[in-house]
């Protein structure tokens, strides 16, 4: 028997980096968790330790196909998040964002579930407004290499707000800024995982461009605290809301910090900047502070200290 506060929670993309942490958090809060994933970038290893828990269920399923289950809350996280992976099969990336959203919104409508969308700072594109507030409409390229992700996520937001207006669905839309932590795929090409693995192996650190572009990095625990507060909070605050850490670093600064913290002997090498790579990114989190009473607590150096041992373990086992 479940107690009255416990919910049946569906997490799409639940075997990925953020999804696997969210599965843990939901179980800790006494909820039943249905983790759905097609294992494109996620891995069973990320949730293997949860398989013995009778409140946890793992299902292989691609969200571009309809899903018929009975749940109270849906966290829609399914979508590759790293440029290398979402550009590998861009048509599938758009399908995952758009058809996936339609299928999950249809499910939410049928079972009257509250539904969360993991949107992204990428909806702001290469922003001309800095830092980015939720009322900024963005500066995106509709036909570039990143468009499958950026425009797919923008269309998903449109669908969420139309289902909300047209069908009265309880939606929650958060725009997530660069987040890092244990369970990131070691080869997923994102900057934090690349730099840590390169440093631990004593390989050169690959900086794209001159390293002057900026990002603001949020540790996974902070991010999930914000998201859960948002989703479990009052229904009338639907977002979109920025969730991320407003402390901004150049990519070069990140490289130097990682080298320093791993005592690496790595050199820096400078490769071409990928097309449409945003020059700067920092969330304005005033709305999250005001509506959720939330702000991140973990500084970059502290978050890296918690993340490096995870990658050390993978390198030691030959898995990175
Ligand atoms: P991830 O790649 O580790 O996880 C994505 C998960 O979705 C993987 O387990 C993958 O196998 C699964 N998946 C992909 N396509 C699927 C499909 N068609 N059907 C079912 N499962 C599918 O990435 P992540 O960092 O954990 O990101 C999770 C979500 O958060 C994504 O929607 C991403 O766009 C969003 N997000 C993440 C960040 C970040 O910095 N980590 C930033 C902004 C937004
Ligand atoms: N980047 C880099 N070296 C790498 C991987 C990424 O310099 O090995 C840069 C990338 O060009 C971008 C930033 O780091 O400017 C963040 O890249 P990531 O892929 O992590 O996320 P996103 O570009 O989606 O914010």
């Amino acid at each position: 028997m479940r107690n009255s506060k416990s919910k049946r929670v569906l997490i799409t993309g639940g075997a990925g980096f953020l999804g696997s942490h969210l599965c843990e958090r939901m179980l800790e809060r006494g909820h039943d968790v249905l983790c759905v994933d097609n294992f494109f970038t996620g891995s069973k290893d990320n949730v293997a330790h949860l398989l013995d828990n009778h409140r946890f269920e793992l299902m292989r399923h691609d969200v571009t196909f309809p899903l018929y289950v009975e749940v109270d809350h849906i966290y829609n996280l399914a979508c590759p998040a790293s440029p290398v992976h979402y550009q590998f099969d861009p048509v599938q990336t758009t399908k995952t964002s758009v058809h996936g959203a339609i299928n999950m919104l249809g499910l939410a409508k049928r079972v009257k579930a509250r539904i969360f969308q993991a949107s992204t700072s990428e909806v702001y594109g290469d922003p001309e407004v800095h830092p980015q507030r939720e009322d900024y409409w963005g500066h995106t390229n509709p036909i570039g290499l990143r468009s499958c992700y950026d425009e797919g996520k923008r269309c998903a937001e449109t669908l969420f707000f139309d289902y909300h207006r047209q069908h009265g669905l309880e939606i929650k839309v958060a725009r997530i800024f660069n987040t890092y932590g244990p369970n990131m795929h070691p080869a997923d090409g994102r900057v934090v995982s690349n730099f840590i693995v390169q440093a631990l192996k004593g390989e050169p650190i690959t900086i794209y461009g001159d390293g002057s572009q900026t990002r603001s990095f949020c540790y996974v625990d902070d991010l999930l605290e914000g998201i859960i507060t948002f989703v479990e909070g009052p229904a009338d605050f639907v977002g979109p809301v920025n969730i991320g850490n407003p402390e901004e670093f150049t990519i070069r600064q990140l490289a130097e910090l990682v080298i320093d913290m791993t005592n690496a002997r790595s050199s820096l090498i400078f490769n071409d900047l990928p097309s449409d790579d945003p020059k700067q990114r920092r969330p304005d989190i005033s709305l999250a502070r005001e509506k959720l009473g939330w702000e991140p607590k973990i500084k970059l150096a502290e978050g890296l200290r918690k993340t490096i041992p995870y990658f050390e373990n993978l390198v030691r086992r030959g898995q990175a």
Side-chain angles (χ1 to χ4, degrees):
M1 283 280 287
R2 290 178 302 118
N3 68 46
S4 58
K5 282 192 178 162
S6 106
K7 306 253 182 263
R8 296 163 301 178
V9 177
L10 165 64
I11 302 177
T12 76
F17 160 48
L18 296 180
S20 57
H21 288 275
L22 186 60
C23 288
E24 276 180 20
R25 292 283 187 113
M26 289 293 109
L27 290 168
E28 280 162 20
R29 294 170 85 83
H31 300 313
D32 285 356
V33 173
L34 173 58
C35 168
V36 161
D37 208 297
N38 70 349
F39 305 118
F40 174 48
T41 51
S43 154
K44 279 186 198 163
D45 292 344
N46 285 337
V47 290
H49 60 296
L50 305 176
L51 290 172
D52 287 341
N53 188 325
H54 70 283
R55 291 188 181 281
F56 181 76
E57 221 178 322
L58 177 62
M59 183 194 284
R60 180 191 288 269
H61 177 80
D62 183 326
V63 294
T64 61
F65 296 95
L67 178 66
Y68 295 92
V69 290
E70 308 301 317
V71 290
D72 305 302
H73 282 181
I74 302 171
Y75 286 83
N76 188 36
L77 271 61
C79 187
S82 116
V84 175
H85 283 139
Y86 69 63
Q87 289 168 20
F88 172 77
D89 185 349
V91 173
Q92 171 69 7
T93 299
T94 302
K95 281 187 186 169
T96 295
S97 280
V98 178
H99 292 194
I102 291 171
N103 289 330
M104 292 309 114
L105 286 161
L107 170 63
K109 183 173 163 230
R110 182 177 67 78
V111 301
K112 298 188 173 49
R114 179 174 289 194
I115 179 164
F116 166 81
Q117 168 66 357
S119 192
T120 168
S121 52
E122 293 283 327
V123 300
Y124 300 121
D126 190 2
E128 293 155 312
V129 168
H130 196 70
Q132 292 78 54
R133 281 165 46 108
E134 292 83 352
D135 54 9
Y136 174 50
W137 289 355
H139 178 229
T140 53
N141 174 0
I143 57 167
L145 297 179
R146 294 175 83 104
S147 312
C148 58
Y149 185 75
D150 302 7
E151 300 292 1
K153 289 284 190 177
R154 285 171 69 96
C155 183
E157 285 200 9
T158 307
L159 285 160
F160 269 68
F161 278 83
D162 281 335
Y163 267 80
H164 176 59
R165 283 184 289 255
Q166 200 176 329
H167 299 299
L169 242 68
E170 281 192 15
I171 61 159
K172 296 272 180 180
V173 176
R175 294 180 179 153
I176 300 171
F177 283 65
N178 297 64
T179 301
Y180 66 98
N183 293 7
M184 291 183 92
H185 194 296
D188 92 355
R190 279 184 272 191
V191 69
V192 173
S193 43
N194 270 11
F195 285 5
I196 295 178
V197 171
Q198 289 162 347
L200 291 174
K201 291 172 138 182
E203 293 170 355
I205 305 282
T206 53
I207 293 186
Y208 302 160
D210 62 5
S212 63
Q213 71 272 35
T214 68
R215 293 293 185 273
S216 308
F217 299 100
C218 188
Y219 187 67
V220 57
D221 289 358
D222 274 339
L223 183 96
L224 290 181
E225 200 61 44
I227 285 176
I228 295 167
T229 306
F230 176 41
V231 175
E232 297 193 347
D236 61 352
F237 179 49
V238 299
V241 60
N242 291 337
I243 305 281
N245 191 318
E247 267 197 86
E248 185 179 359
F249 295 84
T250 67
I251 293 304
R252 190 177 179 132
Q253 283 174 322
L254 175 71
E256 283 161 359
L257 185 58
V258 168
I259 289 177
D260 186 43
M261 292 186 65
T262 51
N263 297 317
R265 297 210 181 134
S266 299
S267 56
L268 301 181
I269 55 167
F270 294 86
N271 296 342
D272 290 345
L273 192 65
S275 72
D276 296 336
D277 197 284
K279 283 179 272 313
Q280 53 183 4
R281 189 183 286 152
R282 170 156 62 101
D284 180 323
I285 59 163
S286 320
L287 187 65
R289 281 199 181 102
E290 179 201 325
K291 295 280 191 180
L292 309 175
W294 171 88
E295 62 181 2
K297 298 189 178 66
I298 299 168
K299 300 242 174 248
L300 180 58
E302 187 187 346
L304 290 175
R305 207 169 296 120
K306 291 167 180 278
T307 307
I308 290 167
Y310 159 77
F311 286 107
E312 275 172 341
N313 201 21
L314 293 181
V315 170
R316 205 176 305 119
R317 296 203 309 235
Q319 294 172 341

